[in-house]
Amino acid sequence: MKEDGFTLIEMLMVLGIISTLVLLAFPLQFNVLKEQEEKQFLKTLASDVLYIQQRSTLTSGMNRIIFNENSYRIIVDGRPSMNRAYPKGLTIDTRTDRNITFNYNGNIKNPRTLYLVSSLNSYRMVFPFGKGRFYLERQ
């Protein structure tokens, strides 16, 4: 009588190889997810800065962004509008003046450079003199 099939040892070896490959692939997937979350945060931050800049040309009220330790707050017409938390592991250097304010014609009142550091990357967020938008440099 001929029996076809796999022995228990063969099955255990195949399962061991598959589980090792799955364990190695999981951290790679996690880093991709963190990187996408960071990119989305930076896009949202850029949109919020542009919103405040445009809003300052339309109204005479106080429009600004205040960077805190774990989040940033958007102030529209002197009233808190939104509070956005940073992704886990991302910090913004808040040792200098934490306010980003634009005057009535869209020029920044307090040009500066802010530093963003995450577990994956570090960035310089530069607010230059004049009407231009800020730009982000990956370091």
Side-chain angles (χ1 to χ4, degrees):
M1 186 163 157
K2 184 178 176 188
E3 293 184 28
D4 291 333
F6 297 107
T7 65
L8 179 62
I9 298 207
E10 291 171 333
M11 291 298 290
L12 289 175
M13 286 179 59
V14 169
L15 287 174
I17 291 170
I18 290 174
S19 63
T20 302
L21 291 175
V22 168
L23 286 173
L24 291 175
F26 183 71
L28 297 175
Q29 295 288 335
F30 190 68
N31 281 343
V32 169
L33 182 63
K34 278 188 84 139
E35 191 162 330
Q36 287 300 323
E37 181 183 22
E38 187 176 297
K39 282 182 183 179
Q40 183 61 40
F41 171 77
L42 294 173
K43 284 181 184 179
T44 303
L45 177 59
S47 296
D48 289 342
V49 170
L50 181 61
Y51 169 70
I52 291 298
Q53 185 178 17
Q54 290 177 342
R55 182 80 182 176
S56 65
T57 62
L58 300 174
T59 63
S60 60
M62 179 61 74
N63 298 303
R64 62 185 169 171
I65 296 178
I66 302 172
F67 292 99
N68 297 317
E69 194 171 313
N70 298 319
S71 65
Y72 68 90
R73 180 177 296 160
I74 298 172
I75 308 293
V76 177
D77 294 331
R79 295 186 311 270
S81 175
M82 287 182 251
N83 194 26
R84 297 195 194 273
Y86 305 146
K88 190 174 183 177
L90 184 116
T91 58
I92 294 181
D93 182 13
T94 58
R95 290 179 285 178
T96 60
D97 184 14
R98 301 179 311 170
N99 296 330
I100 299 295
T101 309
F102 295 93
N103 60 18
Y104 67 92
N105 60 359
N107 293 335
I108 190 163
K109 285 186 176 180
N110 43 0
R112 74 171 54 85
T113 299
L114 295 174
Y115 295 92
L116 288 77
V117 179
S118 73
S119 57
L120 302 173
N121 299 306
S122 60
Y123 301 93
R124 282 180 12 154
M125 190 166 47
V126 180
F127 293 90
F129 284 108
K131 208 170 202 160
R133 291 178 49 193
F134 82 96
Y135 59 93
L136 207 56
E137 292 178 343
R138 191 174 182 178
Q139 293 184 324

